[in-house]
Amino acid sequence: MGGKRRSYDAPFREGAVRIVLETGKSAAEVARDLGVHEGTLQTWVHRARPAWPGSVQ
């Protein structure tokens, strides 16, 4: 049922989050483009948002 768990290095995760936050593309669209599960990317964005310059808390 389950597949092998993929791991992504920090530069890849940061780049994916940057695309979402700087371009205004949806996490779903970016996830499809990068071949990452949408929920995984949403988690990365959620964790990064408080520390992102210019983010509203």
Side-chain angles (χ1 to χ4, degrees):
M1 184 196 293
K4 187 174 182 178
R5 187 178 177 129
R6 290 188 60 183
S7 63
Y8 301 94
D9 61 7
F12 180 85
R13 293 190 306 265
E14 292 165 6
V17 169
R18 181 173 289 113
I19 293 169
V20 173
L21 297 178
E22 291 182 355
T23 67
K25 286 185 174 182
S26 70
E29 184 178 357
V30 175
R32 278 192 303 273
D33 291 346
L34 298 177
V36 176
H37 189 275
E38 179 183 347
T40 300
L41 181 54
Q42 288 175 339
T43 299
W44 298 344
V45 171
H46 179 74
R47 289 179 181 166
R49 198 171 292 251
W52 196 259
S55 66
V56 178
Q57 294 190 12

